[in-house]
Amino acid sequence: MSLEHQHRDRETRAKALLVVPLLALAGLIATTRALAQDPTVAPADQYRALLQEFRKTARSLYEATTDEQRGTSATNMAALSQRFLSWAESNANHAMAPDCLVHVVIQELWLENNTAFPGRQDSLQDRAITLLLQNHIDSAQLADGCTRMSFGFGKQCETFLRTVLARSPRREVQGVACLRLAQFLHGRLRRLDLLSVQPETTARYERLFGKAHLDELRRLDRTAAMKEIETIFERAASEFGDVKLPYDLEVGQTARSELHEIRHLCVGKQAPELEGQDQHGEPVRLGDYRGKVVLLYFWSEH
């Protein structure tokens, strides 16, 4: 067999190996979709089937190798968000309803941050947030919603975080809301900085969130906004410091770390003193180079 034929043979086998798992995935999604839509299946089992379909759909995006496959994954996810919201509206009093509504937000944020999704006229994310605040303000599951919404950008995410902080009867949920509100506000400011140098992203954000909202954010007094962010982090550390977070973290520990970064490690701040050894093993202090342009290169042998 010639080298050219060998190359073509390898390409054909590689494509076949890719098609098989994609076809299998499509079959699994079809199976879980049928289960989630079967009226004879218990609501809890329908919801679990929806979750399984979400995981498979999300995985299909990361396994996609072409724009067409990525577009198909995004389209499937957009339709799935509507089905999650419909389940929550049909099972408003179910114990899993708050979790389902949070999942609508997760999926809409997934579309915003991982795809070229253009947005919707009727925001499913906003509808889900409205239902969470109206019907489930006392739910412990709102802590997870606060964490998810800290990665958002829209006005409703801010409204949710501020409302949960003010009205939740659970101190542990308030603590998470306080920390995540500060992170949301800080993350939004940083995104605004990026938008100023990324006109193509600005156009997409105007479609997703509305030009009026972006114009309002651009008019913010940055100094006042940063002061509010620091104040909220300080409140999180002092009032809710012992509230637990995933991965053995606490609100106070995380808030103090974020404050240290804002006050000492951001662009424009004076660099902290560093001491170490140069490539020749000689002691070196960063302060010795004050006033000069310095390139720091960190590496590890492990």
Side-chain angles (χ1 to χ4, degrees):
M1 182 183 294
S2 69
L3 289 176
E4 181 181 354
H5 287 153
Q6 289 177 13
H7 178 70
R8 289 179 179 174
D9 182 59
R10 282 195 297 269
E11 279 190 337
T12 301
R13 282 184 282 131
K15 290 178 181 177
L17 289 172
L18 178 63
V19 168
V20 170
L22 287 176
L23 288 174
L25 179 61
L28 288 170
I29 289 176
T31 300
T32 56
R33 183 173 301 174
L35 180 62
Q37 295 175 333
D38 188 342
T40 65
V41 175
D45 291 330
Q46 288 179 341
Y47 178 58
R48 280 189 281 269
L50 285 171
L51 285 176
Q52 189 176 4
E53 187 176 344
F54 163 76
R55 296 185 188 105
K56 291 165 183 170
T57 303
R59 191 177 73 198
S60 71
L61 173 70
Y62 301 119
E63 292 178 349
T65 59
T66 67
D67 288 342
E68 181 180 2
Q69 291 169 353
R70 282 183 281 271
T72 299
S73 297
T75 299
N76 290 339
M77 186 66 78
L80 192 55
S81 291
Q82 179 63 69
R83 290 170 51 212
F84 267 84
L85 184 60
S86 296
W87 186 95
E89 290 173 336
S90 299
N91 298 276
N93 297 320
H94 198 282
M96 291 180 176
D99 187 66
C100 186
L101 290 168
V102 168
H103 231 279
V104 174
V105 177
I106 290 172
Q107 291 170 194
E108 293 299 284
L109 289 175
W110 185 93
L111 287 167
E112 288 175 13
N113 296 326
N114 294 287
T115 74
F117 183 63
R120 312 174 191 266
Q121 281 191 320
D122 179 18
S123 171
L124 303 188
Q125 182 182 128
D126 289 358
R127 285 169 59 187
I129 289 173
T130 297
L131 290 172
L132 282 168
L133 294 179
Q134 285 180 350
N135 304 328
H136 305 289
I137 192 64
D138 60 343
S139 172
Q141 290 159 290
L142 293 197
D144 184 44
C146 290
T147 297
R148 303 295 183 171
M149 283 181 229
S150 67
F151 296 100
F153 187 88
K155 183 67 176 177
Q156 275 293 83
C157 288
E158 179 182 356
T159 298
F160 177 85
L161 292 164
R162 291 189 186 276
T163 304
V164 173
L165 174 57
R167 291 178 47 204
S168 173
R170 299 174 182 269
R171 179 176 176 273
E172 69 276 13
V173 174
Q174 283 186 303
V176 175
C178 191
L179 173 68
R180 303 310 184 190
L181 174 61
Q183 290 176 325
F184 167 85
L185 295 173
H186 193 207
R188 190 173 64 182
L189 270 187
R190 286 183 288 193
R191 282 208 232 180
L192 284 171
D193 290 340
L194 291 175
L195 291 179
S196 66
V197 295
Q198 296 180 352
E200 69 285 353
T201 306
T202 299
R204 179 168 183 262
Y205 268 50
E206 288 179 349
R207 292 194 302 271
L208 284 171
F209 307 109
K211 187 176 184 300
H213 180 55
L214 258 68
D215 288 342
E216 179 185 354
L217 293 176
R218 293 187 186 105
R219 291 192 295 268
L220 285 175
D221 181 326
R222 189 178 182 88
T223 300
M226 285 303 304
K227 181 60 179 175
E228 181 190 22
I229 290 166
E230 290 186 42
T231 298
I232 298 172
F233 273 130
E234 288 169 350
R235 181 184 176 188
S238 63
E239 191 174 333
F240 304 106
D242 60 336
V243 170
K244 303 296 183 184
L245 297 172
Y247 308 111
D248 295 324
L249 297 175
E250 293 182 344
V251 164
Q253 170 191 3
T254 305
R256 285 188 291 272
S257 176
E258 298 260 9
L259 279 170
H260 179 77
E261 178 181 339
I262 289 171
R263 291 168 174 169
H264 302 288
L265 303 179
C266 288
V267 173
K269 300 293 184 180
Q270 180 172 302
E273 183 60 270
L274 293 175
E275 296 184 8
Q277 294 181 339
D278 64 15
Q279 66 269 34
H280 305 298
E282 298 295 326
V284 61
R285 294 175 63 252
L286 183 60
D288 294 339
Y289 298 89
R290 193 173 306 281
K292 301 178 181 179
V293 177
V294 178
L295 170 64
L296 295 177
Y297 177 53
F298 297 91
W299 76 94
S300 172
E301 297 179 355
H302 303 288

